[in-house]
Amino acid sequence: MMMKSKARILASIIMCLPFSAMAHVKWFVNYGVEQTPLSITSLTGAMSFWLLLAFSTAVIFATSVLDRKLPSFIDCHRCHPFLNHAHNYVPQIIRWGAALFFLVLGAFFPQVILTPELVVANPWLRYVHLIIALTAFSRKTSFFSGFLIILLYLYAVQLYGANHMLDYFIFIGIAVYLITQSTLKQQAYGKELEFLRLILCYSFLWGAIEKFLHPGLYYQLLTTHSYLAMGLNWEFFVRACGFVELCLIWHIFSGRLAGYACIGLFAIIVVLAFIPFGITDFVGHLVFIFPLVALLLTPRKTHLFRTASASTLAFLLTLAILLFFSYAAYNVLQFNLHVH
């Protein structure tokens, strides 16, 4: 009976994950940058946190072991021609994806700064969006779109605070990639995509940490979409979604075959999230989708960490660093520098 109960809980988490884990909750609830995070004592004092941490650690270790035993696509010689050919399109995917994103903003969301909850009545935003879209298409002019994206990011920092914008560091990663397209020789491409992988995974990991620090935002979402929790305790459900997201992103960052599997799961998650949250979710996540496609076409040749034990230890260390950094960022960047 207990095994059935545990299986039901695990199945519920997996089924509900697509909706509340991937939707950036700030786009759909009442959110103010002055909201304080859950205290570290309240977070670490909950038994569910430690149980989920232990379970996630075991999952990371087990899947890391499998990832080192099972061959990836890069190990299949028949796949090499396809992978090499597909990888040649990675720069176009990122440039054209960025162009599409800002074209949509310019045409339909002229008052949005980069992401749905950052809104300001500035009539010049539409033209900045369109200029970014036009210059991002070409490798020769993409550096200009990259600098403009950085300016928009700094504009949003001025209005909403640096702590809030840590959630959207993906725009800095894309901006740097676009700049390097114009400044690096084509033969030198490679490291800028790894930098984008790092920034993309950081952005998702930061979103997972947000589920630990601001669970009240997700409770607002569950108030109007209570069916997503499928009868589970809300505190446990939100925390579990955070840990599942951490595990998926960790393998995208460090794994080989596991990275492919987790990108596939994220693709399903993103598509399913469009059902309850609509066009806002699609537009907001578009900036995350095309880098994921680029990573799908750029598999890791070697594991980031030699052993499964090292990967698991690095996972735990990363979680601890992110928790420490998030509390430090709030107290330094938000509480002291952006109190209003």
Side-chain angles (χ1 to χ4, degrees):
M1 195 71 175
M2 185 177 294
M3 290 296 295
K4 289 183 178 180
S5 177
K6 290 181 178 179
R8 177 179 174 273
I9 290 174
L10 181 59
S12 299
I13 295 170
I14 295 172
M15 292 175 67
C16 296
L17 175 66
F19 304 109
S20 67
M22 277 301 298
H24 268 66
V25 70
K26 297 170 186 174
W27 303 343
F28 306 102
V29 301
N30 294 322
Y31 172 76
V33 294
E34 73 283 352
Q35 291 186 10
T36 59
L38 188 70
S39 69
I40 188 67
T41 53
S42 298
L43 176 64
T44 57
M47 182 59 68
S48 61
F49 175 82
W50 295 106
L51 290 174
L52 288 167
L53 177 60
F55 180 72
S56 299
T57 303
V59 168
I60 287 292
F61 179 77
T63 50
S64 295
V65 170
L66 286 175
D67 195 33
R68 283 154 178 79
K69 291 183 178 295
L70 299 176
S72 182
F73 293 107
I74 197 68
D75 300 317
C76 176
H77 293 291
R78 293 182 179 179
C79 297
H80 286 182
F82 169 77
L83 290 174
N84 292 333
H85 180 71
H87 181 66
N88 292 331
Y89 290 98
V90 167
Q92 290 94 319
I93 288 171
I94 296 179
R95 290 201 314 268
W96 297 354
L100 175 62
F101 175 76
F102 283 99
L103 185 63
V104 171
L105 287 189
F108 303 105
F109 303 91
Q111 295 182 326
V112 167
I113 312 174
L114 301 177
T115 188
E117 91 271 13
L118 308 179
V119 179
V120 62
N122 187 333
W124 287 95
L125 270 180
R126 180 192 296 270
Y127 303 107
V128 175
H129 292 156
L130 295 177
I131 292 172
I132 292 174
L134 291 174
T135 55
F137 273 109
S138 171
R139 184 169 63 88
K140 294 181 179 180
T141 59
S142 63
F143 76 95
F144 192 66
S145 62
F147 283 120
L148 286 179
I149 292 172
I150 291 175
L151 287 177
L152 283 182
Y153 187 89
L154 294 175
Y155 182 33
V157 168
Q158 179 189 15
L159 295 177
Y160 288 88
N163 182 64
H164 182 76
M165 292 306 296
L166 288 173
D167 197 11
Y168 299 110
F169 215 60
I170 181 62
F171 289 100
I172 297 297
I174 291 173
V176 170
Y177 188 94
L178 293 174
I179 292 171
T180 58
Q181 286 282 290
S182 298
T183 56
L184 289 180
K185 293 181 179 179
Q186 195 163 357
Q187 295 82 357
Y189 289 164
K191 291 185 178 180
E192 77 287 353
L193 186 61
E194 285 305 304
F195 175 75
L196 184 58
R197 183 198 296 268
L198 173 65
I199 297 300
L200 176 67
C201 291
Y202 156 80
S203 297
F204 280 127
L205 289 171
W206 190 262
I209 293 296
E210 186 181 66
K211 294 173 177 61
F212 304 149
L213 270 59
H214 297 283
L217 298 177
Y218 294 87
Y219 300 160
Q220 290 186 51
L221 194 68
L222 291 173
T223 300
T224 55
H225 299 77
S226 58
Y227 61 91
L228 298 177
M230 297 185 67
L232 292 174
N233 174 272
W234 286 5
E235 180 185 44
F236 174 83
F237 173 76
V238 171
R239 209 163 270 165
C241 284
F243 274 108
V244 175
E245 196 170 348
L246 283 171
C247 292
L248 290 175
I249 295 303
W250 183 252
H251 280 312
I252 293 176
F253 175 61
S254 64
R256 296 176 76 230
L257 184 62
Y260 272 112
C262 291
I263 289 176
L265 284 173
F266 257 77
I268 297 172
I269 288 170
V270 169
V271 171
L272 290 177
F274 298 159
I275 298 173
F277 300 116
I279 189 65
T280 300
D281 187 80
F282 172 75
V283 173
H285 277 130
L286 183 59
V287 75
F288 296 93
I289 293 172
F290 58 84
L292 277 175
V293 174
L295 294 184
L296 188 66
L297 301 178
T298 312
R300 281 198 180 278
K301 294 181 181 179
T302 59
H303 292 97
L304 189 62
F305 303 96
R306 175 178 288 185
T307 66
S309 298
S311 179
T312 306
L313 183 61
F315 168 77
L316 293 172
L317 184 61
T318 300
L319 174 58
I321 291 172
L322 284 172
L323 283 172
F324 173 79
F325 179 62
S326 59
Y327 282 106
Y330 171 79
N331 286 287
V332 175
L333 299 177
Q334 184 66 34
F335 184 78
N336 289 327
L337 300 183
H338 201 80
V339 292
H340 303 298

